[in-house]
């Protein structure tokens, strides 16, 4: 690495690779998955390194092999591969198997890190926050979601690609071993906590089914009659209204009949217990390898039947 | 609706279709796609509301490995057109989004299979050493993914509003009511998908804590986020697996933690 390498990539070249890496999945296919996207991202570098038709053909073939990882975690792998290609073009003995080995060796563990961080925590947390703003009518919802996501994503792509480029294959240990594992765990803690908050707040289940109707004793009720009479005769006073409010605040019943729905009973037991049970049931079904679409369809049927029978509303 | 609006809607649909495969800029996420379609059709508020509701449902829709999730792109674009252009209600839009997501999923699986052919064509061009041809095939495949959403969007736009309104009015009351009820519950499937991916025995503790605290209405999501970040940082400081000594202990560096991640995952 000490001697000058005329194939050294400039910052502009690396920025070009970074920009193209965003299109990694454009031609995602079931055979070799992100293979063309990978080659597409590497092309600015390969162009600089190889000039003859034979060399270019070999380079392209080398980079059209199977590749698939989390689309953002491909960035550090690209960085490492850029370094390897640079050294190879500069005359170092690096064979195809070495480059392929680095790619395959890194993609599995990195996908396992990227999925919980980006799809499991960041997008649900940011999406839920933005959705709550949007549902309250605020335009900040979609704006924050789009801007924050893309700033974080682009910064991540660029800096991890640079990290891979500078550190070479040492990075595998750093990423998969220490820092990334911490990040994954920390993100998962945050994610699970926020999910715990969201489940009862935003799952809407209401059981309007009436369990009991209790006639309230007149002595335990707010007596509105004197005030009504006084108002009709034009003699309503502030003190009378004040008295009524005090009676309400002291806990006297307002309705002549106390209606208790199933929902009231559940809320007294534990607020949000129905959404909790529903969510846990879904997790259980997912672990039994029931597909999400099947669960969603079943919930549609359940919801409609419950609605028609008056249990759900 | 004027010509410019139609072009804008189809353009947003095209962006969403491309993002449905790229998963980078997130134009396919309901909160972005529905809002943009709402802006293009001149009913931004409905678009915003629909986007917020659908976003909650689609929280857990993610492509992991080679598995293809329900398609947020077609669900958001098509139901946003129905709501903001054809005048369907937001709750009807939510109910319609689910079958649309499945239709979109089928479409993208079809195109991802079709792209195998493109990959082989790219191989042949690679033998000739032609960078340009490989780039052409790559971007071509992306265009097809864009059209996957843009064409259905154009078709839905072209349907006469009267037909759409009649079809929506023909849905009986018990079904719309039932779908609205179900829509409130479907959110739970998205949460369950995320939980299923992340949950380990230790992490359930934090879920339980979040659930208990959620009853306190004064703590809004920002406050909850602060609590969550504090918990995460505390966890990283005190958890034994991160405190094996920074002196470079051989066993902590490479194999084991990595296996753990994969196993959990």
């Amino acid at each position: 690495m000490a001697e000058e390498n005329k194939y050294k990539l400039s910052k502009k070249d690396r920025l070009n690779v970074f920009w193209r890496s965003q299109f990694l999945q454009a031609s995602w296919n079931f055979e070799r998955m992100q293979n063309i996207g990978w080659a597409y991202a590497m092309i600015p570098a390969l162009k600089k390194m190889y000039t003859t038709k034979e060399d270019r053909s070999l380079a392209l073939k080398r980079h059209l092999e199977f590749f698939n990882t989390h689309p953002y975690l491909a960035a550090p792998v690209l960085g490492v591969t850029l370094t390897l290609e640079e050294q190879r073009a500069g005359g170092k003995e690096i064979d195809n198997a070495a480059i392929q080995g680095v790619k395959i060796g890194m993609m599995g563990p990195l996908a396992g890190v990227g999925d919980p961080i980006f799809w499991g925590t960041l997008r649900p947390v940011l999406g839920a926050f933005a959705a709550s703003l949007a549902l309250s009518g605020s335009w900040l919802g979609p704006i924050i979601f789009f801007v924050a996501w893309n700033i974080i994503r682009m910064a991540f792509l660029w800096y991890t690609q640079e990290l891979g480029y500078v550190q070479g294959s040492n990075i595998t240990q750093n990423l998969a071993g220490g820092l990334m594992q911490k990040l994954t765990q920390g993100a998962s803690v945050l994610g699970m906590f926020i999910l715990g908050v969201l489940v009862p707040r935003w799952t809407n289940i209401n059981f309007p089914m009436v369990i009991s109707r209790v006639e309230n004793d007149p002595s335990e009720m707010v007596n509105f009659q004197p005030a009504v009479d006084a108002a009709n005769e034009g003699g309503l006073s502030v003190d009378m209204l004040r008295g009524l409010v005090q009676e309400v605040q002291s806990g006297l019943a307002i309705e002549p009949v106390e209606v208790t729905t199933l929902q009231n009973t559940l809320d007294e037991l534990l607020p949000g217990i129905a959404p909790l049970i529903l969510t846990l049931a879904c997790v259980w079904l997912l672990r039994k390898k029931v597909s999400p679409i099947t669960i969603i369809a079943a919930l549609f049927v359940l919801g409609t039947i419950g609605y028609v029978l008056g249990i759900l509303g | 609706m004027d010509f410019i609006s139609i072009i804008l809607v189809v353009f947003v649909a095209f962006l969403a279709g491309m993002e449905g495969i790229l998963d980078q800029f997130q134009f396919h996420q309901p909160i972005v796609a529905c809002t943009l379609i709402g802006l293009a059709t001149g009913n931004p508020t409905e678009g915003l509301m629909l986007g917020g509701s659908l976003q909650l449902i689609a929280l857990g829709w993610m492509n992991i490995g080679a598995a293809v999730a329900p398609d947020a792109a077609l669900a958001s674009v098509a139901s946003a057109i129905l709501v903001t252009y054809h005048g369907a209600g937001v709750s009807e839009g939510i109910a319609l989004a689910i079958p649309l997501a499945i239709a979109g999923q089928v479409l993208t699986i079809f195109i991802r299979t079709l792209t195998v052919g493109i990959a082989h064509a790219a191989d042949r061009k690679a033998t000739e050493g032609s960078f340009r041809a490989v780039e052409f095939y790559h971007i071509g495949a992306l265009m097809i993914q864009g059209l996957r959403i843009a064409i259905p969007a154009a078709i839905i736009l072209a349907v006469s509003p009267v037909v759409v309104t009649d079809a929506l009015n023909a849905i009986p009351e018990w079904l719309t009511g039932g779908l609205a009820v179900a829509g409130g519950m479907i959110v739970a499937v998205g949460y369950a998908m995320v939980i299923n991916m992340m949950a380990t025995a230790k992490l359930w503790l934090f879920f339980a804590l979040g659930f208990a605290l959620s009853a306190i209405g004064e703590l809004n999501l920002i406050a909850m986020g602060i609590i969550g970040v504090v918990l995460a940082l505390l966890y990283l400081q005190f958890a034994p697996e991160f405190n094996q000594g920074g002196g470079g202990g051989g066993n902590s560096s490479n194999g084991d933690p990595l296996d753990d991640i994969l196993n959990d995952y």
Side-chain angles (χ1 to χ4, degrees), chain A residues 19-33 35-37 39-40 43 46-47 50 53 56-57 60-61 64 68 71-72 108-109 111-113 115-116 119-121 123-124 127-132 134-139 141-142 145-146 149-150 153-154 157 173 176-177 181-182 185-205 270-273 276 278-280 282-283 286-287 292-293 295-296 299-300 302-304 307-308 312-313, chain B residues 21-29 31-32 35 39 44-45 48-49 52-53 55-56 59 61-66 68 70 95 98 102 105 109 112-113 115-116 118-120 122-123 126-131 134-135 138-139 141-142 145 173-175 177-179 181-189 191-199 203-204 206-207 209-211 213-217 219-222 224-225 227-229 231-232 235-236 241-242 253-254 257-258 261-262 264-265:
Chain A
W19 175 253
R20 283 172 170 237
S21 76
Q22 299 182 95
F23 299 93
L24 181 71
Q25 306 211 91
S27 58
W28 199 102
N29 60 85
F30 278 113
E31 191 184 87
R32 274 167 292 163
M33 305 194 177
N35 72 325
I36 316 179
Y40 178 79
I43 281 176
L46 300 179
K47 231 177 213 166
Y50 305 106
K53 190 182 154 190
R56 287 190 165 188
S57 163
L60 269 178
K61 283 191 159 172
L64 279 171
N68 196 40
Y72 305 168
V113 161
D115 289 332
W119 301 159
T121 306
R123 195 164 68 186
F129 175 63
S132 74
L135 290 174
S136 65
S138 167
W139 291 98
F145 178 82
F146 186 76
W149 179 272
N150 282 298
R153 178 183 64 84
M154 287 192 177
L157 286 179
Q173 280 190 6
Q181 203 208 353
K182 273 195 170 180
Q185 275 294 319
S188 301
V189 168
L190 174 63
M192 283 296 275
F193 176 77
I194 294 292
L195 281 168
V197 175
L198 295 183
V199 161
R201 283 201 182 174
W202 281 345
T203 314
N204 284 318
I205 310 179
L270 182 63
I273 190 168
L276 179 68
L278 179 66
T279 307
L280 294 182
C282 290
V283 172
L286 288 172
R287 298 215 160 148
I293 288 296
I295 303 175
I296 288 174
L299 283 179
F300 264 113
L302 201 72
T304 311
Y307 177 75
V308 171
L312 292 162
Chain B
I21 188 79
L22 293 178
D23 233 335
Q24 300 270 352
F25 296 90
Q26 309 297 309
F27 284 113
H28 65 306
Q29 291 290 306
I31 193 159
V32 181
T35 308
L39 284 172
T45 315
L48 185 67
M49 291 296 154
S53 311
Q55 187 67 40
L56 290 178
L59 282 185
W61 294 358
M62 48 190 139
N63 295 318
I64 293 180
V68 182
I98 304 301
I102 301 168
Q105 189 182 11
I109 289 174
R112 286 166 185 225
T113 313
T115 315
V116 173
I118 293 181
H120 284 276
D123 283 344
T127 319
E128 298 164 16
S130 168
F131 287 146
V134 171
E135 289 171 351
H138 186 62
I139 298 304
L142 185 61
Q145 288 281 2
E173 194 276 332
W174 60 266
L175 188 58
L179 291 179
V181 169
M185 302 200 294
I186 284 170
V187 181
V189 181
Y191 296 142
M193 287 168 77
V194 181
I195 293 171
N196 187 36
M197 188 189 70
M198 292 200 301
L203 292 177
W204 278 110
F206 297 100
F207 179 82
L209 186 62
F211 176 77
L213 287 181
S214 80
I216 307 172
L219 292 173
N220 64 14
L221 271 183
I222 294 178
M224 289 295 189
I227 297 174
V229 170
L231 283 173
Y235 181 80
L236 291 182
E241 62 259 43
F242 299 116
S253 63
N254 204 353
L258 205 142
I261 295 178
L262 287 177
D264 293 347
Y265 170 69

Side-chain angles (χ1 to χ4, degrees), chain B:
Chain B
M1 194 163 73
D2 58 288
F3 186 67
I4 295 174
S5 295
I6 292 176
I7 294 294
L8 282 176
V9 170
V10 174
F11 177 66
V12 172
F14 191 74
L15 278 182
M18 296 199 295
E19 270 303 309
I21 188 79
L22 293 178
D23 233 335
Q24 300 270 352
F25 296 90
Q26 309 297 309
F27 284 113
H28 65 306
Q29 291 290 306
I31 193 159
V32 181
C34 294
T35 308
L36 289 177
I37 299 242
L39 284 172
T41 56
N43 286 312
T45 315
E46 281 89 345
L48 185 67
M49 291 296 154
L50 179 71
S53 311
L54 284 183
Q55 187 67 40
L56 290 178
I57 293 175
L59 282 185
W61 294 358
M62 48 190 139
N63 295 318
I64 293 180
V68 182
D71 181 46
L74 188 62
S76 1
V77 167
S79 61
I81 295 173
L82 288 170
V83 170
T84 62
Y85 177 57
H86 287 311
V90 169
S91 64
E92 286 168 325
I94 294 169
L96 290 168
I98 304 301
L100 286 165
I102 301 168
Q105 189 182 11
V106 172
L107 276 177
T108 186
I109 289 174
F110 174 71
I111 291 170
R112 286 166 185 225
T113 313
L114 197 78
T115 315
V116 173
I118 293 181
H120 284 276
D123 283 344
R124 283 193 291 280
K125 292 294 174 188
T127 319
E128 298 164 16
S130 168
F131 287 146
R132 182 157 295 177
V134 171
E135 289 171 351
F136 175 77
Y137 281 123
H138 186 62
I139 298 304
L142 185 61
M143 298 296 122
I144 299 175
Q145 288 281 2
L147 290 175
R148 171 180 73 97
I149 306 300
I151 292 173
I155 293 173
I156 297 173
L157 275 176
V159 173
S160 135
V162 184
V163 174
V164 176
T165 320
D166 284 353
L168 290 172
N169 287 340
I171 303 174
E173 194 276 332
W174 60 266
L175 188 58
T176 39
L179 291 179
V181 169
M185 302 200 294
I186 284 170
V187 181
V189 181
Y191 296 142
M193 287 168 77
V194 181
I195 293 171
N196 187 36
M197 188 189 70
M198 292 200 301
T200 60
K202 281 180 190 167
L203 292 177
W204 278 110
L205 289 178
F206 297 100
F207 179 82
L209 186 62
F211 176 77
L213 287 181
S214 80
I216 307 172
E218 283 90 356
L219 292 173
N220 64 14
L221 271 183
I222 294 178
M224 289 295 189
I226 294 171
I227 297 174
V229 170
V230 169
L231 283 173
L233 292 176
L234 287 177
Y235 181 80
L236 291 182
Q237 279 180 31
F238 293 116
E241 62 259 43
F242 299 116
N243 290 301
Q244 290 167 343
N251 62 338
S252 68
S253 63
N254 204 353
D256 296 354
L258 205 142
D259 276 346
D260 286 346
I261 295 178
L262 287 177
N263 289 340
D264 293 347
Y265 170 69

Side-chain angles (χ1 to χ4, degrees), chain A residues 138-185:
Chain A
S138 167
W139 291 98
L140 283 175
I143 294 170
I144 288 178
F145 178 82
F146 186 76
V147 173
W149 179 272
N150 282 298
I151 288 175
I152 294 170
R153 178 183 64 84
M154 287 192 177
F156 183 87
L157 286 179
W158 171 246
Y159 286 111
T160 54
Q161 184 190 309
E162 284 291 281
L163 199 67
Y165 178 73
V166 174
Q167 295 212 355
S169 33
N170 301 332
I171 198 183
T172 319
Q173 280 190 6
N174 288 340
L175 284 184
L179 180 69
M180 278 312 216
Q181 203 208 353
K182 273 195 170 180
L183 197 57
T184 310
Q185 275 294 319

